[in-house]
Amino acid sequence: MGNQRTQVAIIGSGPAGLLLGQLLHLAGIDNIILDRVSREYILGRVRAGVLEEGAAGMLAQAGVAGRMEAEGLPHEGIAIAFSGQRHRIDLTGMSGGKRVIIYGQTELTKDLMDARLAAGAVSIHEAEDVLPHDFDGDAPYVTYSKDGTSHRIDCDFIAGCDGYHGPSRQAVPAPAIHTYERVYPFGWLGILAEVPPVSEELIYANHPRGFALCSMRSRTRSRYYIQCAADEDVDAWTDEAFWEELKRRLPAEAAEQVVTGPSFEKSVAPLRSFVAEPMRFGKLFLAGDAAHIVPPTGAKGLNLAASDIHYLFEGLREHYRDGSLAGLDAYSARALARVWQAVRFSWWMTTMLHRFPDTGEFGQKIQEAELAYLVGSQAAATALAENYVGLPY
Ligand code: RFL
Ligand code: PHB
C-alpha cells in the first residue's frame, strides 16, 4: 500500500474538480485529483457549450481564459421559435449588459488540464475503487487502486467532484442526505457536424413534433439537438433522418438556411432534475454534478459547477489563510440557494419548450400562451434574460 498526503483530495477531473484544483494550486494549497478514466476519455466527451460571465470569470481567475477569449463566441441574444415564427430575446439589453460565451466544455477542460500539467500538479487517472473515508472525523482519507496496487491519500478535506454516478455522494449514510428528483419522459438526441451554424444566435424551438435546439461550437461547427424518447436508439438515426426531423421543427425561414453535412458525433442524453442536500458532510464537500443535475434546456449544468467551486474555493482559501471555518460552514447553504434558482429556471425552460406525453391540446395551447407572453412582455423576457445570463454569485 502506497501512502500519500495532500491538503485537499479532489475526486473527479471534470470541470468542477479541475477548476478547484487550479484555483487551490494558485493559492498555494496542495491538492491531488483522482479520476476513474483517462485524460483522453474525458476530452472525448461532448457536453455543454454556453458559459455565463461568472463561469468565464472563474476561468480567468484560474489563469486559463486566453483561448476562451480568443476563440469563444460572445452572444447577446437567443431566439425562441414557435408557431412558425422566431423571436429574439435581447439578453444583453435586458440584463444590464451581460453576455454569454459559446465555448465548449471539451475546450475548457483541455485548457484546465494543460494548465495543471504545466503547473506540475498531481492528477491520477484510471484510478479504480476510489472511496472517501472518515470524513466525519479529523483525519479523512481517500483510498484507490491503480495497476493492481492499493493506495491511500491522507488529507484535510475531500472535494467530491465526481459527477452524478461518482462514489462521493454514495459514501454518505442515507439518513444524512435528502434528495429531490424529477426524471423527464424524454431525452435529447444531439449531433456535432462540421457545418456553419444556421444562425448567429442559438434557436430554442417549440414544435408539436417536439423541441429542437440549434447551437454551435464555432463559426464552422454546429451542435444540434432534437427531443427524442428517453431510450432512443442512436444507431437507428441516419444523418439524413436527423436533418429532416430538425428542419421540420424549425420555422420555414430557418429550416431553409440549415446547412447539412455528415455528423461526427451523435448521442442521446437523458433529462433529469436532481438535488442532494446538504452539499457538505464534515470534511467532505460535494460540488457540480455530484450534488445536482439540471436538464440542459437552461444551459446551467456546467455553470453551476463553476459557482459551487467559487463558494468552495473561497471557503478553503479563507480556512488556510485565516484559520476560519466560516466560509466552509456556509458553503452548502450558499451553493444550494443558487442551485435551486437554476433548477427552477431549467425546469421552467424544459416545461415551456418540450412536448410531454400528456401535453395534449390544452397543454399545447397553454405553452403557446406562455410563449406569446414571453415574447410579448418586456417583464417576462427580462426574467428569462436575467436567469439565462446567470444570477450573481
Ligand atoms: P463531470 O464533468 O461529470 O466530471 C466528473 C468526473 O468524475 C469522474 N468520476 C470518477 N472519478 C473517480 N472515481 C470514480 N468512481 C468516478 N466516477 C466518476 C468522471 O470520470 C468525471 O471525469 O462533472 P462536473 O465536473 O461536476 O461538471 C459538470 C458538467 O460536466 C455537467 O453539468 C454538464 O456537462 C451537464 N451537461 C450539459 N450541461 C449544459 O449546460 N449543456 C449541455 O449541453 C450539457 N450536455 C451534460 C450534457 C451532461 C451529460 N452527462 C453527464 C452524461 C450532456 C451529457 C451527456
Ligand atoms: C450546447 O451547445 O451543447 C447547448 C447549448 C445550449 C443549451 C444546451 C446545450 O441550452
Side-chain angles (χ1 to χ4, degrees), residues 345-366:
F345 176 68
S346 305
W347 161 84
W348 173 73
M349 287 279 280
T350 302
T351 306
M352 177 173 65
L353 291 167
H354 290 75
R355 266 253 134 168
F356 286 69
D358 60 357
T359 296
E361 281 187 317
F362 179 80
Q364 181 73 10
K365 283 289 184 189
I366 292 293

Side-chain angles (χ1 to χ4, degrees), residues 46-50 102 188 202 204 211 213-217 223-225 295-300 349 388:
V46 179
R47 290 186 173 176
V50 179
I102 305 297
W188 279 16
L202 272 54
Y204 289 81
F211 170 74
L213 171 60
C214 306
S215 182
M216 66 193 74
R217 288 293 175 274
R223 177 76 165 152
Y224 291 111
Y225 298 97
T297 328
K300 291 288 167 241
M349 287 279 280
Y388 195 89

Side-chain angles (χ1 to χ4, degrees), residues 154-271:
D154 290 289
C155 55
D156 301 334
F157 300 101
I158 303 170
C161 302
D162 44 1
Y164 180 66
H165 298 287
S168 296
R169 192 182 68 251
Q170 286 165 31
V172 176
I177 194 163
H178 191 92
T179 60
Y180 302 82
E181 184 168 39
R182 168 155 305 186
V183 176
Y184 299 90
F186 41 74
W188 279 16
L189 173 64
I191 66 160
L192 264 181
E194 211 60 46
V195 292
V198 59
S199 148
E200 288 212 346
E201 295 182 340
L202 272 54
I203 305 175
Y204 289 81
N206 171 299
H207 190 275
R209 294 181 66 88
F211 170 74
L213 171 60
C214 306
S215 182
M216 66 193 74
R217 288 293 175 274
S218 71
R219 290 204 172 80
T220 55
R221 181 174 289 189
S222 299
R223 177 76 165 152
Y224 291 111
Y225 298 97
I226 53 175
Q227 177 184 348
C228 63
D231 60 354
E232 193 81 34
D233 175 13
V234 189
D235 299 328
W237 282 85
T238 61
D239 287 349
E240 290 68 30
F242 183 94
W243 292 119
E244 272 316 298
E245 187 58 34
L246 173 72
K247 287 192 213 172
R248 272 191 210 139
R249 297 182 187 190
L250 300 177
E253 50 81 20
E256 282 166 17
Q257 303 288 320
V258 172
V259 182
T260 64
S263 71
F264 61 93
E265 200 268 352
K266 203 183 271 151
S267 54
V268 173
L271 268 71

